Amino acid sequence: MWFKATESCNCIEPQWPADELLVKYQYISDFFIALAYFSIPLELIYFVKKSAVFPYRWVLVQFGAFIVLCGATHLINLWTFTVHTRTVAMVMTAAKVLTAVVSCATALMLVHIIPDLLSVKTRELFLKNKAAELDREMGLIRTQEETGRHVRMLTHEIRSTLDRHTILKTTLIELGRTLALEECALWMPTRTGLELQLAYTLRQQNPVGYTVPIHLPVINQVFSSNRAVKISPNCPVARLRPHTGKYLPGEVVAVRVPLLNLSNFQIYDWPEVSTRSYALMVLMLPSDSARQWHVHELELVEVVADQVAVALSHAAILEESMRARNLLIEQNVALDLARREAETAIHARNDFLAVMNHEMRTPMHAIIALSSLLQETELTAEQRLMVETILKSSNLLATLINDVLDLSRLEDGSLQLETTTFSLHSVFREVLNLIKPVASVKRLSLTLHLASDLPVYAVGDEKRLMQTILNVVGNAVKFSKEGSISITAIVAKPESFKDARIPEFLPVPSDSHFYLRVQVNDSGSGINPQDIPKLFTKFAQSQAVQTKGPAGSGLGLAICRRFVNLMEGHIWIESEGIGKGCTVTFIVKLGIPDRPNESKLAFAPKVPGNHVSTNFGGLKVLVMDDNGVNRSVTKGLLLHLGCDVTTAGSSEECLRIISPEHRVVFMDVCTGLDGYELAIRIQEKFKKRQDRPLIVALTGNTNRVTKENCMRVGMDGLILKPVSVDKMRGVLSELLEHRVLFEAI
Amino acid sequence: MDVGQMQRQWLDYTRSLFIEGFLDNQFLQLQQLQDENNPEFVVEVVSLFFDDSERLLKDLNFALDQQGVDFKKVDAHVHQLKGSSSSIGAQRVKNACIAFRNFCEEQNVEACLRCLQQVKQEYCLVKNKLETLFRLEQQIVAAGGSIPMMELGF
């Protein structure tokens, strides 16, 4: 609009003439525009105040300003249609300029703002999608959880029983309930393993024994995977009853159930077990619904199948163990019976033997005795020969009877060794004396060699040992026609035990026992090495015995071996062959007799080296005695035992020279209270008990008061004089072991 | 006399000492203590005994000669003598000492003097016997033999 300024009033006139109608419309429009422009911000303010979320308030302000100014512009425009003053024009211009500025600014601002606003929208869309997705997932989780619950419940039901039948029935029922199945069936393999037989169904009460061959492709498909497999409703396993529904039969799923045997339980293989049989579980959805097998339902079925397998195996194990237990009970009963029978048999035999023993021996003795007597009388040569033969035969018979009796007692372990202390040397000498006549008749030389370290006395069964040696030597003599027999007896050393011949025999000598080794060599007829094992068998005769002499009863060596075994030893024979002689060796365990009692006046001879000679290896001791003679004697005693002895003649001297190195102090307490005082002072000198030497009182007083006094002052021991070497030895050992020794008074 | 005979003589003599009660088991113990480390043990101890006893007997004499006899002292001496004699196995001396001590307790001077005589007598006897024994031993050793071990078969 150009303005023509009139000269007079400085007013501005619009360029065009005031066209009445147009101007009127412009006027009205401008007015409405202004109105609208003013109301828009008001509305905005109102709604924005209402809404909590609007991030761009200052944009609103800007926008509001822009609108207001626009409105203002249009409002002021109303005045410019007619003649108006310059002021109005100025105001109009100002308003327009301002509006221009603000609107440009707003326009520029909107360029930045609008993409943001649009993105808000995008985000909103995104969030909505997310919400929908989460909803879906929630639905899924809930279904899974429910499935899990079902599985747990099912498992619980299945596992709450150990009866096979109940397990399977319960499985089918629960599955049917959980999954709302139309039909559920279990096919078990038959005994032959070639067919599957319908074992259980859900709805049908009595499944007629349908069988299906096991090698159908569909079955193989199911068996080859441990997942639930969808199968066609028309396959033989699924066609359980004729379907009458109009619609298609529901989907069918089959899963394998491993049937584990006891022998198949390999933990590391589970569940990839190699050779086993499966049962087939077939599940059918209701035929009239459009339901489909969902993944979670299939998983449920698989889990249940596994659980059933486990439950079945438990049931199988239980059955197995019940069976085994019953078997064991039966066996126990049978064994018990057998034992009682055996016992009765043994009793019967023992009774028999006892009776026979007596019954047989009496006449035997009579025969022997009377024959001997007969020998003493006047007889012709012929008669004498006859009597001698009678005697010999009856002696033999008597020996046989004794042997049999002994052996039977040995066999059932009722023979016990009678242990006594006896002289080893005398045993050997007696054997020698008994054998010498026979040997000299046969012109065999007999030598006995006893080792020098062989104990003179031993503890054992003298009679049986002699019997053994006699038997062995007797055999040697019997089977030697000429030559020599040597008997050697030594103490077996551990090194010599590494005998290849007796690898499992490892005797260990101890302080109270030693092993006697006796070897009898003969240069007689020898034995074939192959026959050697038979020699010890009862009643077995060796073929090589072709001598005219009395044949052995065959029991002798068997008895010897029993005796030797009873004495915890070993006996064996070696021979290089026929005609090369033979060697019998045995080792037996004998005890070492205790040292002789002191109270006896009999003085046991000094036994060199065999006694347990404890040497106290330089044990430092202190002897306190004011009597010179006693002091020397005690010192000599302790020196003899290997101690390192210091002596003191008085209490003061004792206290002066005592040191922690002294392990024991022997003090004489015969002389009044000095000894007790000394003990107290020694204890004071050594604060710690382990540093202090042991204090032992030596006294000739045999009364309790002395003993009590010693104990009262804290002495560690009391011994009565006189003290012998052995007593002192024992005392020292005891003291060092137990740190206290109060001799009984 | 050859060694064997001397040894037999020694054995017989020793045996007689035991039988007659001059020596008891304790003497045997002493003999057992004699070994290579201690070859003269018995002789040493017995010599010590002789010296000790002589001293004690002298003291006893002196004590009992006093006007006022100190029985405590006397008892102490006798106790010592008893101890020594029992240590070496001089049985008779020991027994005499025991009797002596009883009278000491009773404080009977007369009896004590009598006991002292007894003890002296026994002591002299056993001293002679032991000295003879040792002489025999020396002879055996000089002749090249060894002292046999006592083997009593009672």
Side-chain angles (χ1 to χ4, degrees):
Chain A
M1 263 197 236
W2 318 288
F3 300 107
K4 195 164 52 168
T6 56
E7 297 99 6
S8 54
C9 59
N10 216 15
C11 299
I12 303 186
E13 262 188 37
Q15 191 61 15
W16 291 340
D19 198 338
E20 309 262 332
L21 200 63
L22 281 174
V23 168
K24 218 179 261 187
Y25 279 130
Q26 278 194 354
Y27 196 82
I28 294 170
S29 316
D30 267 331
F31 176 71
F32 274 112
I33 289 173
L35 201 64
Y37 274 18
F38 280 136
S39 58
I40 286 177
L42 290 171
E43 283 169 19
L44 274 172
I45 291 171
Y46 174 69
F47 282 116
V48 165
K49 270 232 165 61
K50 275 226 145 170
S51 93
V53 201
F54 195 81
Y56 303 110
R57 280 184 196 246
W58 61 275
V59 168
L60 219 62
V61 167
Q62 212 171 15
F63 201 66
F66 157 66
I67 295 264
V68 161
L69 282 168
C70 277
T73 316
H74 282 280
L75 194 65
I76 297 173
N77 219 15
L78 291 177
W79 274 270
T80 57
F81 288 118
T82 54
V83 176
H84 50 277
T85 58
R86 196 168 183 86
T87 331
V88 174
M90 292 289 283
V91 171
M92 178 78 208
T93 321
K96 274 210 175 129
V97 165
L98 221 55
T99 311
V101 166
V102 174
S103 45
C104 284
T106 313
L108 284 168
M109 205 53 53
L110 279 177
V111 170
H112 293 292
I113 299 299
I114 293 194
D116 273 350
L117 285 173
L118 284 179
S119 76
V120 164
K121 203 69 190 156
T122 327
R123 251 181 262 149
E124 190 195 315
L125 203 66
F126 173 72
L127 280 169
K128 227 195 280 187
N129 283 342
K130 244 331 194 213
E133 208 176 292
L134 278 168
D135 270 336
R136 274 200 302 276
E137 268 178 33
M138 268 293 283
L140 259 165
I141 289 176
R142 252 192 241 115
T143 9
Q144 271 178 349
E145 198 210 327
E146 224 168 270
T147 314
R149 237 180 340 105
H150 278 144
V151 170
R152 273 196 297 281
M153 191 236 339
L154 260 166
T155 315
H156 175 78
E157 291 293 326
I158 291 171
R159 300 274 281 266
S160 62
T161 168
L162 282 170
D163 173 40
R164 209 169 230 263
H165 182 79
T166 324
I167 288 172
L168 292 167
K169 256 291 188 220
T170 318
T171 313
L172 296 180
I173 293 174
E174 292 299 326
L175 265 179
R177 208 154 47 92
T178 314
L179 298 171
L181 299 170
E182 174 178 340
E183 180 60 90
C184 191
L186 192 73
W187 299 77
M188 301 281 278
T190 55
R191 213 154 285 163
T192 56
L194 294 172
E195 291 182 323
L196 283 178
Q197 188 182 27
L198 183 60
Y200 304 92
T201 56
L202 185 56
R203 309 279 174 210
Q204 286 174 288
Q205 291 306 92
N206 299 316
V208 184
Y210 286 143
T211 53
V212 177
I214 207 170
H215 290 297
L216 288 180
V218 64
I219 298 179
N220 278 339
Q221 184 196 5
V222 177
F223 279 1
S224 59
S225 133
N226 63 349
R227 325 250 5 216
V229 177
K230 289 204 187 98
I231 58 174
S232 150
N234 292 324
C235 70
V237 287
R239 243 183 313 151
L240 291 174
R241 47 185 184 176
H243 84 91
T244 50
K246 272 193 261 186
Y247 300 97
L248 285 169
E251 288 199 352
V252 181
V253 143
V255 71
R256 72 174 188 187
V257 179
L259 297 173
L260 297 144
N261 297 320
L262 219 59
S263 51
N264 284 333
F265 262 111
Q266 298 287 340
I267 303 209
Y268 308 104
D269 273 359
W270 178 274
E272 316 306 330
V273 231
S274 41
T275 55
R276 78 222 60 97
S277 54
Y278 298 105
L280 189 72
M281 195 153 58
V282 178
L283 307 144
M284 279 171 262
L285 287 179
S287 44
D288 287 344
S289 75
R291 257 182 70 191
Q292 292 218 311
W293 283 100
H294 298 290
V295 172
H296 70 267
E297 287 171 345
L298 291 180
E299 280 173 9
L300 178 81
V301 166
E302 283 157 23
V303 169
V304 168
D306 273 339
Q307 289 299 325
V308 166
V310 171
L312 280 178
S313 46
H314 286 181
I317 292 175
L318 184 71
E319 270 171 37
E320 185 70 36
S321 71
M322 294 296 294
R323 214 171 38 81
R325 193 184 72 116
N326 288 337
L327 198 65
L328 272 171
I329 290 177
E330 270 172 40
Q331 278 178 342
N332 267 356
V333 169
L335 275 170
D336 212 28
L337 193 66
R339 186 177 59 87
R340 266 180 282 135
E341 275 174 21
E343 265 174 21
T344 12
I346 290 180
H347 282 306
R349 189 214 41 196
N350 285 346
D351 287 340
F352 169 73
L353 279 176
V355 165
M356 288 314 289
N357 177 27
H358 180 74
E359 297 303 318
M360 283 201 288
R361 281 205 181 145
T362 322
M364 278 317 307
H365 285 157
I367 295 173
I368 292 173
L370 291 174
S371 321
S372 316
L373 279 177
L374 198 57
Q375 255 189 338
E376 307 291 317
T377 64
E378 288 281 327
L379 296 168
T380 67
E382 214 181 300
Q383 284 173 322
R384 192 162 287 278
L385 206 60
M386 287 194 254
V387 170
E388 272 174 15
T389 317
I390 294 174
L391 249 182
K392 261 199 243 158
S393 316
S394 33
N395 271 328
L396 208 65
L397 197 57
T399 321
L400 187 62
I401 294 173
N402 284 338
D403 280 355
V404 168
L405 195 69
D406 267 346
L407 197 61
S408 60
R409 276 201 300 153
L410 276 171
E411 300 252 272
D412 57 67
S414 55
L415 189 82
Q416 277 171 333
L417 295 176
E418 295 154 21
T419 19
T420 52
T421 313
F422 61 93
S423 163
L424 261 183
H425 290 241
S426 57
V427 165
F428 282 104
R429 260 180 275 134
E430 218 178 293
V431 167
L432 217 60
N433 289 338
L434 285 170
I435 289 292
K436 250 202 249 238
V438 185
S440 61
V441 161
K442 285 180 116 177
R443 289 188 214 282
L444 298 164
S445 78
L446 203 55
T447 44
L448 170 65
H449 175 70
L450 300 175
S452 53
D453 62 347
L454 200 67
V456 179
Y457 287 95
V459 178
D461 191 333
E462 184 183 7
K463 191 167 80 123
R464 306 264 160 59
L465 181 66
M466 180 148 32
Q467 214 172 330
T468 312
I469 304 175
L470 200 56
N471 203 306
V472 168
V473 176
N475 277 347
V477 168
K478 211 189 312 185
F479 292 110
S480 303
K481 280 195 275 238
E482 58 186 1
S484 65
I485 298 176
S486 80
I487 310 169
T488 346
I490 58 172
V491 174
K493 304 278 186 305
E495 306 81 56
S496 65
F497 287 158
K498 280 141 196 180
D499 233 323
R501 292 163 288 224
I502 36 162
E504 37 338 293
F505 184 54
L506 268 180
V508 178
S510 70
D511 276 349
S512 56
H513 293 103
F514 71 99
Y515 284 86
L516 170 73
R517 186 190 158 111
V518 176
Q519 194 166 324
V520 178
N521 291 317
D522 71 60
S523 57
S525 47
I527 306 169
N528 194 336
Q530 288 158 345
D531 284 341
I532 290 182
K534 281 195 245 142
L535 283 170
F536 289 106
T537 332
K538 287 190 295 178
F539 307 119
Q541 296 272 9
S542 69
Q543 278 79 10
V545 178
Q546 282 147 11
T547 54
K548 286 195 288 235
S553 64
L555 280 179
L557 280 174
I559 292 185
C560 282
R561 171 187 257 177
R562 296 293 192 286
F563 284 149
V564 167
N565 284 340
L566 270 177
M567 293 193 234
E568 298 180 49
H570 199 82
I571 179 170
W572 68 97
I573 301 184
E574 294 159 305
S575 173
E576 294 180 24
I578 307 283
K580 296 208 178 68
C582 106
T583 308
V584 179
T585 322
F586 69 85
I587 301 183
V588 289
K589 184 178 178 187
L590 294 173
I592 299 176
D594 287 336
R595 300 174 211 112
N597 206 329
E598 272 162 33
S599 55
K600 290 193 225 145
L601 213 40
F603 183 64
K606 191 165 155 92
V607 185
N610 225 44
H611 264 300
V612 185
S613 52
T614 355
N615 188 317
F616 290 95
L619 178 75
K620 271 179 104 69
V621 296
L622 177 63
V623 175
M624 199 294 281
D625 193 329
D626 54 0
N627 185 318
V629 177
N630 291 350
R631 209 167 49 233
S632 308
V633 173
T634 314
K635 176 175 174 179
L637 193 61
L638 291 164
L639 277 176
H640 184 73
L641 290 173
C643 300
D644 177 356
V645 188
T646 351
T647 54
S650 66
S651 306
E652 289 80 32
E653 199 183 338
C654 179
L655 281 170
R656 256 208 318 275
I657 60 178
I658 194 167
S659 77
E661 286 178 350
H662 293 112
R663 296 316 316 141
V664 191
V665 173
F666 289 98
M667 63 172 66
D668 176 81
V669 292
C670 292
T671 52
L673 296 162
D674 246 15
Y676 303 131
E677 171 94 17
L678 179 60
I680 296 175
R681 282 164 74 184
I682 290 178
Q683 284 178 74
E684 281 171 10
K685 188 164 176 182
F686 294 94
K687 298 296 178 327
K688 287 202 281 249
R689 202 163 185 275
Q690 45 267 43
D691 288 344
R692 164 164 89 71
L694 296 168
I695 306 177
V696 179
L698 284 170
T699 176
N701 282 340
T702 56
N703 61 29
R704 280 184 48 230
V705 179
T706 320
K707 181 174 177 181
E708 280 162 14
N709 286 338
C710 289
M711 289 173 111
R712 203 165 33 81
V713 296
M715 293 202 186
D716 300 296
L718 175 107
I719 347 176
L720 293 175
K721 289 202 278 197
V723 190
S724 70
V725 181
D726 295 328
K727 183 162 167 179
M728 184 57 94
R729 190 185 284 129
V731 159
L732 279 176
S733 309
E734 179 89 19
L735 270 175
L736 292 174
E737 198 180 307
H738 296 134
R739 299 188 70 79
V740 79
L741 171 68
F742 279 96
E743 197 172 336
I745 292 182
Chain B
M1 226 195 294
D2 72 342
V3 179
Q5 274 183 303
M6 283 198 272
Q7 285 175 333
R8 264 196 302 279
Q9 194 185 30
W10 183 91
L11 265 173
D12 288 335
Y13 192 67
T14 317
R15 228 179 248 134
S16 73
L17 289 179
F18 280 95
I19 295 175
E20 288 167 31
F22 284 105
L23 297 175
D24 65 14
N25 212 5
Q26 187 61 19
F27 190 73
L28 291 173
Q29 293 292 326
L30 284 190
Q31 289 193 314
Q32 268 199 310
L33 296 180
Q34 187 159 295
D35 54 20
E36 318 72 64
N37 299 332
N38 224 340
E40 294 291 306
F41 182 62
V42 180
V43 176
E44 279 171 8
V45 174
V46 172
S47 312
L48 202 58
F49 169 68
F50 290 156
D51 294 335
D52 223 28
S53 309
E54 260 146 55
R55 184 178 51 82
L56 282 169
L57 288 171
K58 224 194 303 190
D59 288 340
L60 275 169
N61 251 333
F62 184 73
L64 283 173
D65 266 346
Q66 301 297 313
Q67 283 294 73
V69 177
D70 185 354
F71 281 105
K72 272 218 176 67
K73 217 177 189 168
V74 172
D75 186 64
H77 290 318
V78 179
H79 182 79
Q80 286 270 336
L81 191 59
K82 174 178 143 223
S84 330
S85 53
S86 83
S87 284
I88 67 151
Q91 193 178 35
R92 278 178 155 180
V93 179
K94 181 183 79 177
N95 291 338
C97 287
I98 294 176
F100 197 149
R101 281 191 88 190
N102 290 335
F103 286 122
C104 271
E105 267 180 45
E106 290 175 25
Q107 307 214 341
N108 187 335
V109 181
E110 296 292 320
C112 284
L113 282 167
R114 258 181 290 134
C115 279
L116 180 59
Q117 287 307 98
Q118 181 81 6
V119 168
K120 270 198 200 156
Q121 206 178 341
E122 291 299 337
Y123 167 71
C124 286
L125 278 170
V126 84
K127 180 168 173 190
N128 281 334
K129 299 275 181 187
L130 285 171
E131 281 175 344
T132 319
L133 193 69
F134 290 146
R135 249 201 316 277
L136 272 175
E137 279 180 13
Q138 278 170 345
Q139 282 174 351
I140 292 174
V141 169
S146 66
I147 318 292
M149 284 314 301
M150 273 304 298
E151 244 189 71
L152 295 176
F154 279 153

